[in-house]
Amino acid sequence: MTTMADIESNYQIKYSEKWGSYLQQEVSRLDKYVTVESGLTGKMAAFDQYGLLSFDEKTERMKSTALSEAPTKRRVIHPKIFTKAVGFDEFDAKKLANIDVPVSKTIESLRAAAGRCMDKVMIDAFLGTNYTGENGTTSVSLPTSQTIAKDFVESGTAVASNLTVGKLRRALTILQKNEAWSDERRAYGDELVLACSSSQINALLQQQEVSSFDYNAVRALAEGRLDTFLGFRIIRTEQLPIDSSNVRSCIAWVKSRAQFGIWDDFKVKLSVRDDLDETLQIRAKFACGATRLQEEGFVKILCAE
């Protein structure tokens, strides 16, 4: 006796005819808040700066003139080169049937990855070791005087905390004391920038001392819009380093003191690889680097999450 199959055993699977995308940061978030120079060449790029001068008081008549050397300094960027190649077999299109080979999605994803990578290059440079000297081999670190401790408080007993209004006020004070930030710089079009994660924005939202006006400004950040707080243009990024103790390093800086250099902007090339049975190759590349022009224009803020 033949047993008839239940209708459920003939149910079919309907497959999507379009490629979706994983959640991701799709563009660089920092490139608009740094000084960018493109078209760079050579094994390194040097950014020469003129230092500080001060007057000497004249205390004698017809004294011999004393000449001073011009106080020049140099900061260099060594380029980092990044590449990525994705391949599709010559028969992938046939085997995928009603869905296209995801060429456009691959290019889109490569562009997004490049934006994230560029941000990481900037973050690493602004927090890490930079190079100076005639040959660009002398290392320079961000001094501890430019770091706000995780347990910083304006008054009372020190206790580890996430981002606080007090820490922001301290960062602003450091930058102003260094003459890195002033009303004149704002008038020239310079900007005060703070890079932090969603955890720091949430911490600000929970602080009672934030006024209702400022609260609305910070609330906009939680909704994913760029805004300002205490004069800082706040940029949310989840790429800032966090250590094993859940202490994240956030960065405040003055735009004109943050240098980003591009040797080769993001480019994509499609080619057929005859050496791989006519595989379609999608290859992307770019080369870039970053540096602090002056340590005095940066503050690292340690935040306990």
Side-chain angles (χ1 to χ4, degrees):
M1 178 177 178
T2 304
T3 303
M4 297 298 293
D6 188 283
I7 186 66
E8 292 185 7
S9 65
N10 292 289
Y11 285 177
Q12 302 295 306
I13 299 174
K14 172 61 177 177
Y15 293 99
S16 170
E17 295 184 5
K18 293 183 179 180
W19 292 96
S21 297
Y22 267 46
L23 296 175
Q24 59 185 307
Q25 177 187 325
E26 297 178 348
V27 296
S28 170
R29 292 177 181 166
L30 304 184
D31 61 352
K32 297 180 183 63
Y33 304 100
V34 298
T35 302
V36 180
E37 185 161 345
S38 58
L40 298 177
T41 58
K43 65 178 183 179
M44 69 179 189
F47 295 86
D48 294 321
Q49 303 169 81
Y50 201 93
L52 299 177
L53 288 172
S54 61
F55 276 89
D56 300 319
E57 182 182 1
K58 180 177 178 178
T59 58
E60 300 178 23
R61 295 183 68 249
M62 301 183 201
K63 181 182 178 181
S64 297
T65 300
L67 289 177
S68 299
E69 292 285 355
T72 59
K73 294 185 178 181
R74 168 173 291 178
R75 193 56 59 96
V76 304
I77 300 178
H78 300 278
K80 295 184 177 182
I81 302 171
F82 299 92
T83 66
K84 188 69 175 181
V86 179
F88 294 103
D89 186 78
E90 59 181 333
F91 285 100
D92 282 348
K94 295 291 185 181
K95 293 179 179 180
L96 284 169
N98 64 334
I99 188 169
D100 293 334
V101 175
V103 174
S104 60
K105 276 293 181 184
T106 299
I107 296 173
E108 178 185 307
S109 185
L110 287 168
R111 187 179 298 277
R116 294 193 300 273
C117 187
M118 290 178 184
D119 280 0
K120 188 63 165 57
V121 167
M122 286 183 258
I123 289 169
D124 289 347
F126 298 161
L127 287 172
T129 301
N130 288 185
Y131 294 92
T132 185
E134 182 179 354
N135 299 315
T137 56
T138 303
S139 61
V140 182
S141 299
L142 192 65
T144 55
S145 60
Q146 301 292 116
T147 298
I148 298 175
K150 65 180 180 180
D151 59 354
F152 171 83
V153 293
E154 292 179 297
S155 62
T157 304
V159 58
S161 64
N162 206 325
L163 184 61
T164 64
V165 176
K167 288 182 178 180
L168 286 179
R169 280 196 287 256
R170 177 58 181 162
L172 181 59
T173 299
I174 291 173
L175 293 171
Q176 289 176 330
K177 186 177 180 180
N178 292 340
E179 291 293 355
W181 183 246
S182 61
D183 289 338
E184 301 96 284
R185 291 200 172 277
R186 182 185 289 109
Y188 297 154
D190 215 345
E191 270 192 283
L192 199 57
V193 185
L194 171 72
C196 64
S197 77
S198 54
S199 176
Q200 283 72 60
I201 293 172
N202 184 58
L204 283 177
L205 285 167
Q206 298 180 51
Q207 293 180 53
Q208 292 183 352
E209 68 175 295
V210 178
S211 69
S212 59
F213 174 82
D214 288 334
Y215 179 87
N216 290 331
V218 178
R219 186 171 60 190
L221 297 171
E223 296 171 357
R225 303 198 307 270
L226 298 181
D227 220 309
T228 58
F229 185 65
L230 284 181
F232 289 94
R233 174 72 69 176
I234 301 181
I235 312 301
R236 183 184 65 81
T237 172
E238 305 303 326
Q239 296 199 73
L240 293 162
I242 186 168
D243 66 17
S244 58
S245 300
N246 275 347
V247 175
R248 191 179 296 276
S249 296
C250 300
I251 330 166
W253 71 83
V254 177
K255 179 179 178 179
S256 64
R257 301 297 89 195
Q259 184 71 53
F260 182 59
I262 300 175
W263 271 254
D264 202 359
D265 210 344
F266 176 78
K267 295 177 181 177
V268 178
K269 179 181 179 180
L270 277 67
S271 57
V272 175
R273 293 284 303 274
D274 290 331
D275 59 321
L276 297 176
D277 288 340
E278 298 185 2
T279 290
L280 174 64
Q281 175 180 286
I282 305 173
R283 185 174 185 270
K285 63 180 180 179
F286 64 95
C288 64
T291 188
R292 302 180 299 267
L293 291 179
Q294 286 179 256
E295 278 61 52
E296 293 82 358
F298 289 79
V299 175
K300 178 166 70 174
I301 307 173
L302 298 177
C303 299
E305 296 187 0

